[in-house]
PDB file of all heavy atoms in Angstrom:
ATOM      1  N   ILE D  73      -4.240   6.928  -1.225  1.00 97.00           N
ATOM      2  CA  ILE D  73      -3.798   5.538  -0.878  1.00 97.00           C
ATOM      3  C   ILE D  73      -4.070   4.843  -2.181  1.00 97.00           C
ATOM      4  O   ILE D  73      -5.032   4.609  -2.575  1.00 97.00           O
ATOM      5  CB  ILE D  73      -4.575   4.947   0.357  1.00 97.00           C
ATOM      6  CG1 ILE D  73      -4.424   5.671   1.562  1.00 97.00           C
ATOM      7  CG2 ILE D  73      -4.279   3.424   0.448  1.00 97.00           C
ATOM      8  CD1 ILE D  73      -5.274   5.234   2.604  1.00 97.00           C
ATOM      9  N   ASP D  74      -2.797   4.455  -2.747  1.00 95.00           N
ATOM     10  CA  ASP D  74      -2.748   3.872  -4.075  1.00 95.00           C
ATOM     11  C   ASP D  74      -3.541   4.893  -5.046  1.00 95.00           C
ATOM     12  O   ASP D  74      -2.945   6.046  -5.152  1.00 95.00           O
ATOM     13  CB  ASP D  74      -3.319   2.574  -4.169  1.00 95.00           C
ATOM     14  CG  ASP D  74      -2.542   1.537  -3.244  1.00 95.00           C
ATOM     15  OD1 ASP D  74      -1.251   1.632  -3.231  1.00 95.00           O
ATOM     16  OD2 ASP D  74      -3.127   0.640  -2.721  1.00 95.00           O
ATOM     17  N   ARG D  75      -4.630   4.540  -5.499  1.00 96.00           N
ATOM     18  CA  ARG D  75      -5.429   5.558  -6.438  1.00 96.00           C
ATOM     19  C   ARG D  75      -6.645   6.177  -5.799  1.00 96.00           C
ATOM     20  O   ARG D  75      -7.315   6.945  -6.365  1.00 96.00           O
ATOM     21  CB  ARG D  75      -5.775   4.729  -7.659  1.00 96.00           C
ATOM     22  CG  ARG D  75      -4.693   4.377  -8.568  1.00 96.00           C
ATOM     23  CD  ARG D  75      -5.241   3.621  -9.857  1.00 96.00           C
ATOM     24  NE  ARG D  75      -6.318   4.367 -10.597  1.00 96.00           N
ATOM     25  CZ  ARG D  75      -7.370   3.684 -11.096  1.00 96.00           C
ATOM     26  NH1 ARG D  75      -7.435   2.351 -11.066  1.00 96.00           N
ATOM     27  NH2 ARG D  75      -8.229   4.342 -11.657  1.00 96.00           N
ATOM     28  N   LEU D  76      -6.809   5.841  -4.505  1.00 97.00           N
ATOM     29  CA  LEU D  76      -7.922   6.293  -3.798  1.00 97.00           C
ATOM     30  C   LEU D  76      -7.644   7.577  -2.968  1.00 97.00           C
ATOM     31  O   LEU D  76      -6.759   7.505  -2.191  1.00 97.00           O
ATOM     32  CB  LEU D  76      -8.513   5.286  -2.817  1.00 97.00           C
ATOM     33  CG  LEU D  76      -9.907   5.386  -2.177  1.00 97.00           C
ATOM     34  CD1 LEU D  76     -11.060   5.564  -3.336  1.00 97.00           C
ATOM     35  CD2 LEU D  76     -10.144   4.144  -1.503  1.00 97.00           C
ATOM     36  N   LEU D  77      -8.271   8.691  -3.337  1.00 98.00           N
ATOM     37  CA  LEU D  77      -7.954   9.931  -2.676  1.00 98.00           C
ATOM     38  C   LEU D  77      -9.051  10.438  -1.888  1.00 98.00           C
ATOM     39  O   LEU D  77     -10.244  10.543  -2.196  1.00 98.00           O
ATOM     40  CB  LEU D  77      -7.784  11.044  -3.788  1.00 98.00           C
ATOM     41  CG  LEU D  77      -7.481  12.365  -3.311  1.00 98.00           C
ATOM     42  CD1 LEU D  77      -6.020  12.440  -2.858  1.00 98.00           C
ATOM     43  CD2 LEU D  77      -7.556  13.477  -4.490  1.00 98.00           C
ATOM     44  N   PHE D  78      -8.700  10.666  -0.546  1.00 98.00           N
ATOM     45  CA  PHE D  78      -9.650  11.084   0.527  1.00 98.00           C
ATOM     46  C   PHE D  78      -9.419  12.603   0.685  1.00 98.00           C
ATOM     47  O   PHE D  78      -8.330  12.938   1.312  1.00 98.00           O
ATOM     48  CB  PHE D  78      -9.516  10.348   1.772  1.00 98.00           C
ATOM     49  CG  PHE D  78      -9.880   8.906   1.545  1.00 98.00           C
ATOM     50  CD1 PHE D  78      -8.764   7.997   1.319  1.00 98.00           C
ATOM     51  CD2 PHE D  78     -11.063   8.371   1.784  1.00 98.00           C
ATOM     52  CE1 PHE D  78      -8.991   6.632   1.123  1.00 98.00           C
ATOM     53  CE2 PHE D  78     -11.372   7.015   1.693  1.00 98.00           C
ATOM     54  CZ  PHE D  78     -10.357   6.082   1.357  1.00 98.00           C
ATOM     55  N   VAL D  79     -10.246  13.390   0.404  1.00 97.00           N
ATOM     56  CA  VAL D  79      -9.980  14.873   0.442  1.00 97.00           C
ATOM     57  C   VAL D  79     -10.779  15.533   1.575  1.00 97.00           C
ATOM     58  O   VAL D  79     -12.023  15.316   1.711  1.00 97.00           O
ATOM     59  CB  VAL D  79     -10.519  15.668  -0.837  1.00 97.00           C
ATOM     60  CG1 VAL D  79     -10.092  17.077  -0.720  1.00 97.00           C
ATOM     61  CG2 VAL D  79      -9.752  15.067  -2.042  1.00 97.00           C
ATOM     62  N   SER D  80     -10.126  16.063   2.568  1.00 95.00           N
ATOM     63  CA  SER D  80     -10.699  16.714   3.625  1.00 95.00           C
ATOM     64  C   SER D  80     -11.761  17.694   3.290  1.00 95.00           C
ATOM     65  O   SER D  80     -11.664  18.335   2.140  1.00 95.00           O
ATOM     66  CB  SER D  80      -9.632  17.373   4.607  1.00 95.00           C
ATOM     67  OG  SER D  80      -8.842  16.426   5.290  1.00 95.00           O
ATOM     68  N   GLY D  81     -12.695  18.127   4.215  1.00 95.00           N
ATOM     69  CA  GLY D  81     -13.611  19.130   3.850  1.00 95.00           C
ATOM     70  C   GLY D  81     -13.063  20.355   3.580  1.00 95.00           C
ATOM     71  O   GLY D  81     -12.159  20.950   4.246  1.00 95.00           O
ATOM     72  N   HIS D  82     -13.582  21.056   2.558  1.00 94.00           N
ATOM     73  CA  HIS D  82     -13.086  22.413   2.176  1.00 94.00           C
ATOM     74  C   HIS D  82     -14.315  23.340   2.117  1.00 94.00           C
ATOM     75  O   HIS D  82     -15.409  23.060   1.662  1.00 94.00           O
ATOM     76  CB  HIS D  82     -12.601  22.414   0.739  1.00 94.00           C
ATOM     77  CG  HIS D  82     -11.122  21.757   0.825  1.00 94.00           C
ATOM     78  ND1 HIS D  82      -9.961  22.546   0.898  1.00 94.00           N
ATOM     79  CD2 HIS D  82     -10.781  20.543   0.762  1.00 94.00           C
ATOM     80  CE1 HIS D  82      -8.896  21.797   1.075  1.00 94.00           C
ATOM     81  NE2 HIS D  82      -9.434  20.430   1.003  1.00 94.00           N
ATOM     82  N   THR D  83     -14.120  24.378   2.617  1.00 95.00           N
ATOM     83  CA  THR D  83     -15.239  25.596   2.783  1.00 95.00           C
ATOM     84  C   THR D  83     -15.084  26.593   1.673  1.00 95.00           C
ATOM     85  O   THR D  83     -14.056  26.506   0.807  1.00 95.00           O
ATOM     86  CB  THR D  83     -15.119  26.237   4.042  1.00 95.00           C
ATOM     87  OG1 THR D  83     -13.915  26.988   4.073  1.00 95.00           O
ATOM     88  CG2 THR D  83     -15.255  25.359   5.193  1.00 95.00           C
ATOM     89  N   GLY D  84     -15.933  27.481   1.656  1.00 94.00           N
ATOM     90  CA  GLY D  84     -15.824  28.588   0.696  1.00 94.00           C
ATOM     91  C   GLY D  84     -14.857  29.726   1.004  1.00 94.00           C
ATOM     92  O   GLY D  84     -15.021  30.839   0.453  1.00 94.00           O
ATOM     93  N   ALA D  85     -13.933  29.464   1.985  1.00 93.00           N
ATOM     94  CA  ALA D  85     -12.842  30.495   2.338  1.00 93.00           C
ATOM     95  C   ALA D  85     -11.671  30.318   1.327  1.00 93.00           C
ATOM     96  O   ALA D  85     -11.282  29.332   0.956  1.00 93.00           O
ATOM     97  CB  ALA D  85     -12.499  30.276   3.742  1.00 93.00           C
ATOM     98  N   ASP D  86     -11.162  31.509   0.996  1.00 91.00           N
ATOM     99  CA  ASP D  86      -9.919  31.584   0.221  1.00 91.00           C
ATOM    100  C   ASP D  86      -8.802  30.914   1.020  1.00 91.00           C
ATOM    101  O   ASP D  86      -8.685  31.174   2.255  1.00 91.00           O
ATOM    102  CB  ASP D  86      -9.526  32.911  -0.091  1.00 91.00           C
ATOM    103  CG  ASP D  86      -8.356  33.101  -0.943  1.00 91.00           C
ATOM    104  OD1 ASP D  86      -7.170  33.032  -0.338  1.00 91.00           O
ATOM    105  OD2 ASP D  86      -8.455  33.174  -2.281  1.00 91.00           O
TER     106      ASP D  86
END
Side-chain angles (χ1 to χ4, degrees):
I73 300 174
D74 297 325
R75 291 180 47 218
L76 195 57
L77 182 68
F78 298 90
V79 184
S80 294
H82 286 266
T83 66
D86 181 277

